[in-house]
Amino acid sequence: QVQLAESGGGLVQAGGSLRLSCAASGSIFSISTMGWYRQAPGKQRELVAVIYSSGRIVSADSVKGRFTIVRNNAKNMVDLQMNSLKPEDTAVYYCYVESRATRWSNDITYWGQGTQVTVSS
């Protein structure tokens, strides 16, 4: 079992910045993929940014140039630095982790509880 601890959400004015942090703990041999998704009211959950074990990053076009994903493998953490925030960034942000407990296990997907990000006009 893996637990994901999210922090950094809150209320910020348009143009401001927030940094989200997610720390994975528990039975972890390795993490393959980790990152962030978000879900706004009335919309489906969407990918914000993820980073693979290779270091490759995939991010939504809407956040490119504004958001930066940072992975710390030694600490099993992933941060999302969000700059130039817009009201349309308002959503619940969920940490996403794919990991395995042993070398011989299958990868399992874990989701954080979600942290609210609200951007005011």
Side-chain angles (χ1 to χ4, degrees), residues 9-25:
L11 175 64
V12 66
Q13 293 183 339
S17 298
L18 285 174
R19 188 178 182 94
L20 305 183
S21 182
C22 176
S25 62

Side-chain angles (χ1 to χ4, degrees), residues 5-9 19-23 36 77 79 115:
E6 302 164 319
S7 63
R19 188 178 182 94
L20 305 183
S21 182
C22 176
W36 295 88
M77 293 180 62
D79 288 1
T115 183

Side-chain angles (χ1 to χ4, degrees), residues 61-73:
D61 289 341
S62 60
V63 308
K64 288 179 177 174
R66 300 188 298 120
F67 292 9
T68 302
I69 188 168
V70 181
R71 178 170 176 169
N72 188 326
N73 292 327

Side-chain angles (χ1 to χ4, degrees), residues 18-19 24 33 44 46 61 76 78 95 104 110 116 121:
L18 285 174
R19 188 178 182 94
T33 307
Q44 292 197 334
E46 65 174 351
D61 289 341
N76 290 333
V78 61
C95 182
W104 316 107
Y110 296 93
Q116 177 71 47
S121 300

Side-chain angles (χ1 to χ4, degrees), residues 10-120:
L11 175 64
V12 66
Q13 293 183 339
S17 298
L18 285 174
R19 188 178 182 94
L20 305 183
S21 182
C22 176
S25 62
S27 300
I28 301 173
F29 171 76
S30 64
I31 296 174
S32 58
T33 307
M34 60 192 330
W36 295 88
Y37 286 69
R38 68 186 181 188
Q39 187 167 23
K43 294 186 176 181
Q44 292 197 334
R45 191 170 299 186
E46 65 174 351
L47 182 147
V48 178
V50 296
I51 182 167
Y52 300 110
S53 57
S54 65
R56 184 190 180 203
I57 296 170
V58 176
S59 61
D61 289 341
S62 60
V63 308
K64 288 179 177 174
R66 300 188 298 120
F67 292 9
T68 302
I69 188 168
V70 181
R71 178 170 176 169
N72 188 326
N73 292 327
K75 296 183 177 181
N76 290 333
M77 293 180 62
V78 61
D79 288 1
L80 185 70
Q81 178 65 48
M82 305 185 293
N83 299 324
S84 302
L85 283 161
K86 305 175 181 179
E88 49 262 45
D89 294 318
T90 296
V92 177
Y93 284 70
Y94 296 90
C95 182
Y96 172 90
V97 168
E98 292 183 15
S99 67
R100 57 184 63 188
T102 74
R103 185 179 185 87
W104 316 107
S105 302
N106 294 324
D107 279 354
I108 298 175
T109 297
Y110 296 93
W111 292 94
Q113 299 278 47
T115 183
Q116 177 71 47
V117 171
T118 302
V119 184
S120 63

